[in-house]
Amino acid sequence: MQAREIKDRLKSLIEEASAIDPRLANRLQEINRWVKDVKPGSLTAKRFVILFLLQIIQDAEVWLRLKSLPSQEEQQSALTALNPTLKYWYGYLFPKWLSENDPKFYIWRRKLMAGEFNQEDAKLIDSVANNIKNCGGTIVQRYIADLSMATDIIVSSRQEMPLCIQLTSVSKEFSQDKLNDWENTLIFWAIDRGLFLSYNPRATDFVNQIVNILLYNSDNLSIGSYLKFNL
């Protein structure tokens, strides 16, 4: 989808959402105001802005299909048919984001537009995600979760209980501020289980170690726990 098509689709989704879910319409209007004066060529050059827009369009389309179902029972049945991490995203975190004031949204939109976001750990997260899928787990990655909810990836394993993960290569002695922000953010969004994993990228086989820790804690970390783990 090209930049002009993205802008047009955003506008059409606003119209559709106005009649189905005003909360979504308001969010999309906010995003539309953010990009409407950016010329298509300039928008195309902003890779992460485009990726975020494509992601929010996809989420909006799924959400509107879900909310268009004629009864609560059918909506719940459609959610239940999703894998555990998608069910958690569409059944809890995404609607919560639509309903709540997001104090970080304006900040990270500005950074995206200014080119100040580069997702340095993208390759690691992709490797971790692929390994989790190969182990039979499920994952969700969203810019909203990453930048507003301190969650790089949402993971589910055999017990089908989603776990919100923050990965960092920051050493233990320098990560306290990030730890505090992470925990406060999870509390703000009422996320009931979280894992903050600090890893050493120079360690042998550290990707598989990360995957094993994430899968184990997805199955075993108790409700109401925010675990800090140094690998």
Side-chain angles (χ1 to χ4, degrees), residues 170-202:
V170 179
S171 60
K172 184 177 180 181
E173 59 268 30
F174 296 117
S175 65
Q176 191 58 50
D177 287 344
K178 191 168 185 178
L179 264 173
N180 292 339
D181 181 61
W182 168 76
E183 187 163 332
N184 290 335
T185 300
L186 265 59
I187 290 169
F188 177 85
W189 290 105
I191 292 170
D192 59 11
R193 298 194 315 150
L195 172 62
F196 184 102
L197 177 57
S198 180
Y199 63 91
N200 180 359
R202 293 181 295 277

Side-chain angles (χ1 to χ4, degrees), residues 52-83:
F52 165 70
L53 291 172
L54 290 172
Q55 214 172 71
I56 194 66
I57 284 171
Q58 180 187 42
D59 279 342
E61 289 173 343
V62 172
W63 184 249
L64 289 171
R65 286 200 299 272
L66 182 67
K67 298 299 286 184
S68 296
L69 293 172
S71 70
Q72 289 284 344
E73 290 77 13
E74 287 173 279
Q75 291 177 25
Q76 188 57 47
S77 178
L79 278 173
T80 302
L82 298 173
N83 72 46

Side-chain angles (χ1 to χ4, degrees), residues 7 13-14 16 31 38 72-73 88 105 118 129 194-195 202 205 212-213:
K7 284 188 165 191
L13 284 169
I14 290 169
E16 190 177 345
I31 293 165
V38 183
Q72 289 284 344
E73 290 77 13
Y88 184 61
F105 193 32
N118 54 24
L195 172 62
R202 293 181 295 277
D205 201 29
N212 290 336
I213 291 166

Side-chain angles (χ1 to χ4, degrees), residues 143-154:
Y143 289 107
I144 293 167
D146 181 6
L147 299 169
S148 288
M149 301 173 180
T151 296
D152 290 315
I153 187 171
I154 304 168

Side-chain angles (χ1 to χ4, degrees), residues 76-109:
Q76 188 57 47
S77 178
L79 278 173
T80 302
L82 298 173
N83 72 46
T85 45
L86 281 175
K87 180 182 178 182
Y88 184 61
W89 177 247
Y90 289 117
Y92 182 68
L93 284 183
F94 186 66
K96 192 166 184 63
W97 182 72
L98 296 179
S99 300
E100 301 286 343
N101 174 51
D102 180 353
K104 296 184 179 182
F105 193 32
Y106 172 77
I107 298 169
W108 63 258
R109 278 183 303 164

